[in-house]
Amino acid sequence: MNRRRFSTLSGVLAAASCLGVTVKAHALSLNDVSNAQALQGLKLALEKGALAAVKSLGQANGFLGNDKVRIPLPGVLDDAARLLRNLGQGAPLDELIAAMNHAAEMAVPMARDMLVGVVKTMKVQDAKKILTGGDNSVTQFFAEKTRQDLSRKFLPLVTKVTSRVKLADKYNQIAAKTAGIGLLKGDQVSIEQYVTAKSLDGLYLMIGEEEKKIRQDPVGTGSAVLQKVFGALRP
């Protein structure tokens, strides 16, 4: 048997076992799926998932109207939000929340070509990692391949949008001081970095959610390859 094969998709079979999935006793089985079909099917699923996620998030209220990815105020500001609202400062907070989420919605479409490109150049080892990696393997794959480059791509647009809100500038001034004495670290050192990171978190999360839908209902995709590959993994 050719060792370059998944051992007649033994890698996929192992993945199915890891995911607690049993192969159908009748109709299609994993043995009927070739390595090329498995890789092609996964690429199709990821591309469809990426495009669907970009379309969903990159529209008006794509982030703001989605409880799974809506970007909240940064931790420090969020902690003080109740007091600020009681002091009549609710409007500036709401303006900042809206600006952060709208910035994310505007930035996400910029990821489309890069995400598709990464999928098209995906290797067999990438497919194995995704198939055996559990529920967050898709998120990990895209984050590993694109997060750094997309962060650089998103940041200027996010900065342009959030800079229109006065509270964002005030937050950055305070954050810079607290970061300087070690009280604030990571993405929360500026609104722009925080929103950029949250935008990508939301994007990767929704790609994973879309990919799960395809696994659960491959017939609904209208793709014969997806039906064959993921149909074989269904119980």
Side-chain angles (χ1 to χ4, degrees):
M1 184 178 293
N2 188 340
R3 292 185 179 180
R4 293 182 63 189
R5 294 172 61 84
F6 279 158
S7 301
T8 316
L9 274 224
S10 62
V12 182
L13 185 59
S17 176
C18 288
L19 295 172
V21 177
T22 58
V23 181
K24 289 181 178 179
H26 303 287
L28 187 66
S29 73
L30 286 171
N31 290 330
D32 298 315
V33 182
S34 71
N35 295 325
Q37 287 173 321
L39 185 58
Q40 183 187 2
L42 189 56
K43 283 184 176 182
L44 277 173
L46 293 180
E47 184 172 338
K48 279 179 173 288
L51 293 177
V54 168
K55 182 178 180 180
S56 172
L57 295 176
Q59 62 180 325
N61 296 321
F63 273 82
L64 199 59
N66 186 334
D67 291 341
K68 292 182 178 180
V69 297
R70 183 188 299 114
I71 302 174
L73 294 166
V76 175
L77 193 53
D78 196 35
D79 291 340
R82 187 170 182 176
L83 175 60
L84 290 171
R85 289 187 185 281
N86 288 338
L87 294 174
Q89 296 299 308
L93 293 175
D94 293 336
E95 183 185 13
L96 180 57
I97 292 172
M100 291 190 303
N101 283 275
H102 292 324
E105 292 155 11
M106 294 171 66
V108 158
M110 299 168 64
R112 185 182 186 279
D113 291 345
M114 189 181 296
L115 295 172
V116 171
V118 165
V119 171
K120 290 187 182 300
T121 58
M122 194 171 90
K123 307 298 183 184
V124 171
Q125 55 265 36
D126 294 321
K128 280 186 174 182
K129 286 172 67 174
I130 290 172
L131 288 168
T132 59
D135 291 341
N136 66 343
S137 59
V138 172
T139 295
Q140 291 176 342
F141 168 74
F142 279 107
E144 179 184 328
K145 301 290 185 180
T146 67
R147 188 174 193 106
Q148 190 172 7
D149 289 338
L150 285 180
S151 291
R152 287 195 291 265
K153 198 168 186 177
F154 281 17
L155 189 58
L157 177 58
V158 170
T159 300
K160 182 179 179 180
V161 176
T162 55
S163 65
R164 300 168 186 164
V165 181
K166 292 182 180 179
L167 186 56
D169 185 53
K170 291 180 180 178
Y171 172 86
N172 285 343
Q173 292 176 22
I174 296 171
K177 293 178 181 178
T178 54
I181 57 176
L183 295 179
L184 201 61
K185 298 178 181 179
D187 297 323
Q188 292 190 27
V189 297
S190 78
I191 285 290
E192 296 81 13
Q193 290 184 44
Y194 171 74
V195 173
T196 297
K198 288 295 185 182
S199 300
L200 290 170
D201 288 345
L203 176 59
Y204 298 140
L205 173 66
M206 292 309 296
I207 292 174
E209 292 292 308
E210 292 295 334
E211 190 259 353
K212 286 178 188 176
K213 292 178 186 177
I214 293 170
R215 285 177 182 258
Q216 292 166 2
D217 182 23
V219 175
T221 66
S223 167
V225 173
L226 290 177
Q227 290 176 39
K228 187 171 185 179
V229 173
F230 291 105
L233 290 172
R234 294 187 68 196

